[in-house]
Amino acid sequence: MAKKTKKQQQSGGTPATVALTAAGVRHAVHSYEHDPAHPSYGEEAAEAMGVSPDRVFKTLVADVDGALTVAVVPVAGSLDLKALASAVGGKRAAMADPALAERTTGYVRGGISPLGQRKKLPTVLDASATAHATICVSAGRRGLEVELSPADLARLTSAVLAPIGRA
């Protein structure tokens, strides 16, 4: 995870929650006990919070034509790599090396947040997010989610909205 600033250490927040607070964005933080044996971080979050899996979004890092790109899609489905590449004007996309994704974002796998990343990456938010008043994304560590409006998430990450998820 990214090195915590003095402000983060005092508040106990993650880079994601600190970024939301600094931006004055209305949000709610949900924590739950992470079970390392659970097969899916996203599905575990949905179950633990009692939220429909179509409102809980996972943050994935892909390599699009040699450039790391963040994809935010519902945990109930999967990422369409071809659609992601198209959304950012690329030709080919593949999942990024997990170690590279962790180093670049400053978060660990299963806790990568689209917010407060060490290096700002191009971001694509699945268009299905706009069907909900609020969605949940990782708040920067396993067992911690943040709930906010899709519009605020898109604005803070400068995300492109596109249909990149598959059911």
Side-chain angles (χ1 to χ4, degrees):
M1 186 140 107
K3 187 174 179 182
K4 289 186 175 185
T5 64
K6 196 172 225 178
K7 184 176 180 182
Q8 290 166 336
Q9 291 168 348
Q10 292 169 347
S11 70
T14 66
T17 59
V18 169
L20 286 167
T21 301
V25 171
R26 196 168 154 208
H27 64 282
V29 177
H30 304 279
S31 66
Y32 58 92
E33 192 63 39
H34 167 62
D35 175 5
H38 201 288
S40 167
Y41 297 114
E43 288 175 12
E44 176 189 27
E47 291 167 10
M49 295 185 305
V51 175
S52 171
D54 63 337
R55 280 192 48 230
V56 179
F57 282 62
K58 56 189 168 187
T59 306
L60 304 171
V61 181
D63 178 317
V64 179
D65 297 337
L68 291 182
T69 304
V70 174
V72 185
V73 296
V75 301
S78 61
L79 172 62
D80 181 335
L81 288 165
K82 192 175 229 180
L84 174 64
S86 177
V88 295
K91 293 185 182 195
R92 289 205 172 132
M95 294 307 298
D97 172 67
L100 178 60
E102 289 179 346
R103 277 194 314 275
T104 305
T105 64
Y107 294 114
V108 297
R109 200 170 64 114
I112 294 178
S113 178
L115 301 156
Q117 295 181 356
R118 182 177 288 153
K119 180 179 178 189
K120 190 169 173 90
L121 299 172
T123 302
V124 182
L125 174 60
D126 186 64
S128 69
T130 61
H132 308 286
T134 61
I135 60 171
C136 297
V137 296
S138 176
R141 69 174 178 252
R142 297 172 187 156
L144 194 66
E145 294 282 309
V146 64
E147 182 176 356
L148 72 165
S149 79
D152 284 336
L153 178 61
R155 181 175 53 80
L156 290 174
T157 59
S158 303
V160 171
L161 285 169
I164 59 168
R166 277 190 277 198

